[in-house]
Amino acid sequence: MQCIVEEVQSPTQARSRKNRFISGHAHPGSPYVFGLAGVDHDVEFPDPMPVVGISHSAKGYCMVSVLETMKTFSSEDGLTEEAIVTKLRTCRYHHLYLHTSLRQNSSGTCRWGEFGEGGLLWGECNGKPFDWFNGDPVEELLCKVREIYGVDQETTFRNVTIYSERRPQPLYLGTATQIGVLPTEGIPSLLKVLLPANCVGLPILYIRDLLLNPPTYETASAIQETCRLMSNVTSSIPEFTCMSAPKLVKLLESKEVNHVEFCRIKNVVDEILQMSRSTELATILHILLEPTWVATGLKVEYDRLVNECSLVSKRIGEIISLGGESDQEISSFECIPREFFEDMESSWKGRVKRIHAEEAFAEVERAAKALSVAVMEDLFPIVSRVKSVVSSLGGPKGEICYAREHEAVWFKGKRFMPAVWANTPGEEQIKQLRPAMDSKGRKVGEEWFTTIKIEGALNRYHEASDKAKNKVLELLRGLSGELQTNANILVFSSMLLVIAKALFGHVSEGRRREWVFPKLKEFHSPEDKIAGNTIKMELSGLSPYWFDAAQGNAIQNTVKMHSLFLLTGPNGGGKSSLLRSICAAALLGICGLMVPAESAVIPDLDSVMLHMKAYDSPADGKSSFQIEMSEMRSIITRATPRSLVLVDEICRGTETAKGTCIAGSIVEMLDCTGCLGIVSTHLHGIFDLPLATKNTVHKAMGTEVADGRIRPTWKLIDGVCRESLAFETAQKEGIPEKIIQRAEELYLSMNVTDSRIAPNSTKAEHFNAKSNARGLGEICDSSRTSLDFLPSGNLELSQKEVESAVTIICQKKLIELYKKKSISELAEVMCVAVGAREQPPPSSVGTSCIYVLFRPDKKLYVGQTDDLVGRVRAHRSKEGMQNAVFLYVIVPGKSIASQLETLLVNQLPLRGFRLVNKADGKHRNFGTSRLPIEAITLHQ
């Protein structure tokens, strides 16, 4: 925490001590923003942190989170201990309060965390700063927040909690870490494969929070419907400007929004309006209202959203200078260094439209002109005199310089005084010089000089500049005050664009990886089971999420799950990978996202729980088996018929006999619950136990014999696999041969009573995925084609001419190829425009395209690619190309794209376009087809 100290604004005597006072505090919960309205760059500061309170009730654990900046709070009840720890791990909080109800644990003692329940939470909180509180958790925590931040008692906090009995349980810590929702060393990250590499920041945080807190079936269905529509969008899409809601509210509340942030706010509302004006995007905008409501707690109707965004955009456009205006150029005079005016005026010019501060701007221009006249009259003759004297080293020196530290323009020179005064040019001005003084009246140095006239002109200019700057700040802060009434709409709009960008990015990456949308099946009621409608999950062609199935390097499995699986398989046979893959697919499905499979049916699960290997915790004095049993207790007590329970190598941390019996009893309990799930094990004795199970199915990871050796196939099959491949695995990992041989001898000497131990001879073929030969897009180089087009006029007219020419040339060629049976079906040529600050839609991902780039220098650039999004990004990364406009056509295959590219190179010059570089026209067999010259109308 930092104190904000300000000076008392009152007259003071020279050298007297200034009075100061503490005006406030800056801390992670409320960052310091004073003065940010005057900066000329994007304002960056960390998002404010909430105050968090944890309590316990009959429903379970409760987490109350209060964000002072947003004046909001949320209360989540009925959480498990694992869920509450996960939330604490992923939430950066300012203060942590623990309710006294946590001291009463299941053991009946007052020593919280001593036995059983509470140990995991205690381990998370122990050693971290926290305070105890009692009373009503919500009301008491709000009182604490008012005390910490000095908030008035009359200030109200908005409840943003979305209550729903049907919402799935938040993800457990173990589940989140084992599938890489939370970064974990050695675990493939699920988050990294859900979005393109360039999609970072707020969108990836939204996806992370969505996975950690799966939505209701209705919200998941809305998200999936949105993604399906996004997958088929053919029009260009906005850039989706992402703004942090707490930052936005903090700046508006403090009236410290600068012109850069106002431009970003205008981008936000303009992009909402852009979506509303597009038929395809307007439908998506309608559906996104529900996920945005869940994320913000704000219920906003479509018409109100569009209307208020229109008003905000109009108002910002009236006040803020959006660039391209010629009436706010920095003052410039030949006799005054350019840097002086840039430093003095760049901090306020170009911020607001001049019409709102015309008098202030005009006075600055008059003062700057007067300063230039004073410098020209008083200093320029001296400089001319010095330059006219040609002398050796050590002669007179002098020039007009900018003293940046003192914000002044003075004469800097030495040895320029004449030895004999003879009324020569410049002598009169030299006599007027006096030493330059700083703001405290001290002499600056022996080389700096000024005149009374220049000092007067400087003071006038600084006063005018300060008034103009203050007028600009007044306008900016006034606009901040106006937009405070629209704060909720701006928060809602910014969050909607974050969600839209996240989902568009996910769809693009999902299409590239050849993932699919699952069929979400709603689970209605226990009566469904009576009617025979049992819950089921089917995943066909399931591949591990960390492999790219589009590249053909993943083994795929088909999983049809109607009950509990008891899974066996060899070491390295793929049991853990299968459990992770199923867990990830189920989680993605219930969140409305695409899944790594060829087809999928995923039920409306109320929880997804994955338990992998456990480690000991010396700090808590618990062994790995104790940790495992603690996690299993949580899973068993929370499992329902709508749960997915995945347990890898159960009870491996204790002696075999008793561990087998505990594992068998857990399997019976899960079978009785009726949940979906998999329990994998190497405890083959479990099959000899008299288990009272009705629905449990035996599954195995297959093996095959090749070259006299048993090896895994990584395919899921029916039955039991008793082969562990333990010796082969140890040998593969470098255990000495002598140890392996002795182990085999000891194994043979054991009294093996089960004669069924034998390798599973069932063979299963590896999946041979289609190879995808499509490249990732070549880097643009000088060998590409540039076309200098002759037609003059505005960009819109030229764009229509180029679109017409490209359509006719390409359609003619495709008809020709179709008649020759070079292509199976005739494709219609459809040019799609990608305007400035727009990007290609997800439907272009994974397709071959030809494209035309409109360069700022009035030249065209023709290319073909299999990665249009990447190619557009590469072009726009070059200097001066940020707002480049594109036309593109999707064509059937890379070979066709290459032919059409070369055809355009050879044909467009014949239609009035001047070819600058013919490098891509060398394949003459692609480009010599003659089209009638009259087929294309040129604008001469």
Side-chain angles (χ1 to χ4, degrees):
M1 182 179 292
Q2 298 176 334
C3 290
I4 303 170
V5 179
E6 297 184 15
E7 293 182 0
V8 176
Q9 300 298 316
S10 61
T12 57
Q13 297 181 355
R15 299 184 181 276
S16 63
R17 184 181 298 276
K18 296 181 179 179
N19 295 322
R20 297 179 174 88
F21 66 98
I22 297 177
S23 61
H25 297 88
H27 42 68
S30 181
Y32 182 60
V33 297
F34 180 76
L36 293 182
V39 302
D40 57 354
H41 54 79
D42 187 10
V43 177
E44 291 294 341
F45 59 85
D47 280 345
M49 300 180 189
V51 174
V52 172
I54 308 297
S55 62
H56 193 272
S57 67
K59 292 183 178 180
Y61 289 92
C62 177
M63 180 174 180
V64 181
S65 179
V66 183
L67 195 56
E68 185 273 336
T69 302
M70 302 287 289
K71 301 298 186 293
T72 60
F73 73 92
S74 62
S75 177
E76 296 181 79
D77 204 354
L79 299 175
T80 64
E81 185 179 3
E82 286 73 13
I84 207 79
V85 170
T86 304
K87 288 182 176 293
L88 288 176
R89 290 274 179 94
T90 57
C91 171
R92 296 177 65 245
Y93 47 82
H94 185 206
H95 285 283
L96 175 62
Y97 288 93
L98 302 179
H99 198 266
T100 52
S101 58
L102 294 171
R103 288 175 172 165
Q104 305 302 320
N105 59 21
S106 58
S107 66
T109 70
C110 61
R111 293 178 61 186
W112 177 43
E114 181 179 6
F115 301 105
E117 185 179 3
L120 185 63
L121 181 57
W122 174 249
E124 178 69 20
C125 299
N126 191 25
K128 296 182 179 179
F130 67 85
D131 294 304
W132 292 100
F133 75 119
N134 53 25
D136 180 85
V138 174
E139 293 300 325
E140 288 298 322
L141 197 64
L142 290 176
C143 289
K144 297 288 185 183
V145 169
R146 289 187 173 95
E147 292 176 6
I148 294 172
Y149 299 109
V151 178
D152 295 336
Q153 292 296 323
E154 293 77 18
T155 302
T156 58
F157 286 76
R158 181 169 55 89
N159 186 357
V160 296
T161 308
I162 304 298
Y163 297 99
S164 176
E165 296 294 334
R166 300 281 296 173
R167 185 166 187 170
Q169 284 288 326
L171 220 57
Y172 284 7
L173 180 63
T175 306
T177 55
Q178 287 299 328
I179 59 174
V181 176
L182 298 180
T184 308
E185 186 177 357
I187 304 297
S189 173
L190 180 59
L191 280 181
K192 288 185 178 180
V193 302
L194 295 182
L195 296 173
N198 65 320
C199 190
V200 295
L202 294 175
I204 201 168
L205 289 180
Y206 171 76
I207 294 293
R208 187 199 69 173
D209 291 342
L210 182 68
L211 297 176
L212 290 174
N213 303 279
T216 61
Y217 173 82
E218 292 74 19
T219 302
S221 298
I223 290 174
Q224 185 183 100
E225 185 182 358
T226 301
C227 291
R228 287 182 184 273
L229 292 173
M230 289 175 171
S231 180
N232 297 317
V233 166
T234 58
S235 63
S236 57
I237 58 177
E239 287 191 345
F240 299 116
T241 302
C242 295
M243 289 192 71
S244 165
K247 168 185 170 181
L248 176 62
V249 172
K250 181 69 176 179
L251 292 176
L252 286 175
E253 182 184 45
S254 306
K255 297 183 180 180
E256 293 293 347
V257 184
N258 66 1
H259 76 290
V260 176
E261 296 297 334
F262 273 124
C263 290
R264 295 187 67 195
I265 293 174
K266 191 174 190 306
N267 287 341
V268 167
V269 295
D270 283 349
E271 287 167 5
I272 295 290
L273 297 175
Q274 179 183 346
M275 293 182 71
S276 70
R277 289 190 290 265
S278 166
T279 304
E280 291 179 308
L281 298 181
T283 304
I284 292 174
L285 184 61
H286 270 285
I287 303 173
L288 282 176
L289 296 180
E290 180 173 344
T292 310
W293 163 57
V294 173
T296 62
L298 294 167
K299 197 76 171 178
V300 177
E301 299 298 329
Y302 180 85
D303 291 339
R304 180 191 168 199
L305 173 66
V306 174
N307 291 337
E308 288 204 32
C309 283
S310 179
L311 293 174
V312 170
S313 176
K314 180 181 178 181
R315 187 56 182 153
I316 293 177
E318 291 173 348
I319 301 295
I320 301 299
S321 174
L322 303 175
E325 300 167 2
S326 59
D327 58 355
Q328 298 199 47
E329 295 180 356
I330 302 295
S331 301
S332 177
F333 296 93
E334 184 179 358
C335 59
I336 297 178
R338 178 174 51 86
E339 293 83 1
F340 170 74
F341 287 118
E342 286 183 352
D343 286 357
M344 297 300 103
E345 299 178 10
S346 61
S347 63
W348 52 271
K349 271 191 175 179
R351 299 323 188 241
V352 301
K353 292 188 181 298
R354 177 164 178 156
I355 190 174
H356 302 292
E358 177 61 40
E359 181 56 34
F361 278 52
E363 177 58 27
V364 170
E365 292 174 352
R366 291 191 290 267
K369 177 66 176 178
L371 176 61
S372 70
V373 171
V375 170
M376 182 65 72
E377 292 176 352
D378 288 5
L379 300 183
F380 196 75
I382 303 175
V383 174
S384 300
R385 175 189 176 93
V386 170
K387 289 181 178 180
S388 66
V389 179
V390 180
S391 61
S392 60
L393 186 65
K397 295 181 180 179
E399 59 182 336
I400 301 170
C401 292
Y402 168 35
R404 178 172 276 106
E405 182 180 353
H406 304 283
E407 299 182 343
V409 176
W410 292 329
F411 177 77
K412 184 179 182 181
K414 54 185 177 181
R415 295 184 296 277
F416 59 88
M417 292 288 183
V420 178
W421 299 90
N423 292 324
T424 56
E427 286 187 9
E428 188 65 29
Q429 287 77 14
I430 292 176
K431 292 178 182 179
Q432 296 177 11
L433 293 178
R434 65 176 189 174
M437 301 291 180
D438 62 17
S439 59
K440 297 183 177 180
R442 295 175 299 192
K443 187 176 179 180
V444 173
E446 298 298 329
E447 299 179 356
W448 292 95
F449 300 90
T450 185
T451 68
I452 295 176
K453 186 191 298 183
I454 289 176
E455 288 303 297
L458 273 173
N459 289 335
R460 177 187 173 185
Y461 175 78
H462 281 306
E463 288 177 4
S465 183
D466 288 342
K467 287 181 179 179
K469 182 176 182 179
N470 290 335
K471 180 62 177 179
V472 169
L473 289 177
E474 179 186 338
L475 290 167
L476 291 175
R477 291 189 170 119
L479 183 57
S480 293
E482 288 184 46
L483 296 187
Q484 283 185 29
T485 57
N486 305 104
N488 285 347
I489 287 294
L490 295 178
V491 168
F492 190 89
S493 300
S494 62
M495 191 66 217
L496 189 147
L497 292 184
V498 168
I499 297 174
K501 185 169 186 175
L503 297 185
F504 263 113
H506 171 64
V507 169
S508 296
E509 186 66 13
R511 285 175 60 98
R512 190 189 69 78
R513 292 177 174 269
E514 298 183 359
W515 289 11
V516 299
F517 293 105
K519 178 182 178 182
L520 299 181
K521 184 173 177 58
E522 187 173 9
F523 185 88
H524 296 285
S525 64
E527 286 73 18
D528 284 348
K529 278 204 168 185
I530 299 175
N533 300 327
T534 58
I535 187 171
K536 62 180 180 179
M537 181 169 67
E538 297 182 1
L539 303 169
S540 299
L542 174 69
S543 60
Y545 63 85
W546 55 93
F547 285 124
D548 195 339
Q551 297 180 2
N553 58 358
I555 301 295
Q556 294 184 318
N557 272 291
T558 294
V559 180
K560 295 184 178 180
M561 187 181 298
H562 298 74
S563 60
L564 187 69
F565 288 176
L566 188 55
L567 179 65
T568 52
N571 289 296
K575 297 188 301 298
S576 300
S577 294
L578 180 65
L579 265 62
R580 279 197 178 96
S581 302
I582 293 173
C583 179
L587 179 62
L588 292 172
I590 65 173
C591 290
L593 304 177
M594 301 178 77
V595 301
E598 293 179 343
S599 66
V601 177
I602 297 177
D604 177 21
L605 300 169
D606 64 1
S607 60
V608 177
M609 296 176 280
L610 171 66
H611 169 75
M612 305 293 282
K613 56 187 177 182
Y615 296 96
D616 63 341
S617 178
D620 299 324
K622 290 187 176 183
S623 67
S624 60
F625 185 65
Q626 285 179 292
I627 297 294
E628 180 183 10
M629 290 298 100
S630 176
E631 293 183 7
M632 288 307 303
R633 169 186 55 80
S634 300
I635 290 175
I636 294 168
T637 56
R638 304 297 294 192
T640 72
R642 291 176 53 209
S643 299
L644 176 65
V645 177
L646 304 165
V647 182
D648 189 34
E649 297 191 17
I650 188 173
C651 294
R652 64 178 176 179
T654 189
E655 61 103 349
T656 305
K658 293 180 180 179
T660 301
C661 295
I662 294 175
S665 182
I666 290 174
V667 169
E668 285 185 337
M669 176 64 73
L670 294 176
D671 181 88
C672 180
T673 301
C675 63
L676 298 180
I678 298 178
V679 176
S680 73
T681 183
H682 282 297
L683 302 174
H684 299 151
I686 197 171
F687 299 105
D688 300 324
L689 297 176
L691 299 182
T693 58
K694 297 180 179 180
N695 302 308
T696 301
V697 178
H698 295 170
K699 294 285 185 177
M701 302 306 296
T703 58
E704 64 182 3
V705 179
D707 300 326
R709 291 181 176 271
I710 301 173
R711 67 178 189 181
T713 64
W714 301 287
K715 303 287 283 186
L716 182 68
I717 61 173
D718 294 328
V720 176
C721 177
R722 294 179 181 270
E723 174 56 66
S724 68
L725 296 182
F727 297 147
E728 291 81 356
T729 302
Q731 188 174 31
K732 184 179 179 181
E733 294 302 320
I735 297 296
E737 184 66 27
K738 184 176 181 180
I739 294 179
I740 301 296
Q741 291 177 357
R742 179 55 179 162
E744 291 175 343
E745 293 172 2
L746 293 172
Y747 181 71
L748 293 174
S749 68
M750 293 175 61
N751 184 19
V752 181
T753 59
D754 190 349
S755 61
R756 291 174 295 173
I757 298 181
N760 190 328
S761 60
T762 303
K763 294 185 179 182
E765 296 180 356
H766 286 280
F767 173 74
N768 184 18
K770 293 188 299 181
S771 62
N772 188 338
R774 294 191 298 268
L776 296 178
E778 305 86 347
I779 300 299
C780 306
D781 56 41
S782 59
S783 67
R784 284 294 186 189
T785 305
S786 289
L787 302 175
D788 187 3
F789 58 90
L790 296 178
S792 59
N794 58 39
L795 180 62
E796 183 179 357
L797 180 60
S798 300
Q799 180 176 320
K800 290 181 180 178
E801 294 169 351
V802 174
E803 181 177 344
S804 175
V806 170
T807 301
I808 294 174
I809 292 173
C810 292
Q811 191 68 69
K812 190 76 174 180
K813 182 63 176 178
L814 290 177
I815 293 173
E816 178 185 324
L817 293 173
Y818 177 70
K819 290 180 178 179
K820 293 180 179 179
K821 297 185 178 180
S822 299
I823 54 177
S824 59
E825 58 183 46
L826 181 60
E828 180 183 357
V829 174
M830 184 173 67
C831 283
V832 180
V834 179
R837 290 186 51 78
E838 293 181 347
Q839 47 190 320
S843 59
S844 66
V845 175
T847 62
S848 297
C849 304
I850 55 170
Y851 67 93
V852 179
L853 162 64
F854 293 81
R855 294 165 51 93
D857 58 2
K858 302 300 181 182
K859 294 180 181 179
L860 295 178
Y861 176 96
V862 177
Q864 61 86 18
T865 181
D866 286 344
D867 180 19
L868 183 61
V869 174
R871 185 61 61 83
V872 170
R873 185 165 59 248
H875 279 300
R876 286 177 173 170
S877 66
K878 300 182 183 299
E879 184 177 359
M881 301 283 286
Q882 290 79 6
N883 293 319
V885 176
F886 293 78
L887 283 177
Y888 75 89
V889 178
I890 296 177
V891 298
K894 187 175 182 67
S895 174
I896 303 299
S898 298
Q899 294 183 50
L900 292 177
E901 177 194 25
T902 307
L903 181 66
L904 288 173
V905 170
N906 291 317
Q907 290 291 330
L908 284 175
L910 303 177
R911 309 297 179 240
F913 295 91
R914 182 161 50 90
L915 181 65
V916 175
N917 187 334
K918 298 184 179 181
D920 283 351
K922 60 186 178 181
H923 305 294
R924 290 295 176 182
N925 58 311
F926 289 159
T928 54
S929 173
R930 294 290 177 177
L931 298 179
I933 193 74
E934 62 272 10
I936 302 174
T937 302
L938 295 178
H939 174 71
Q940 298 293 345

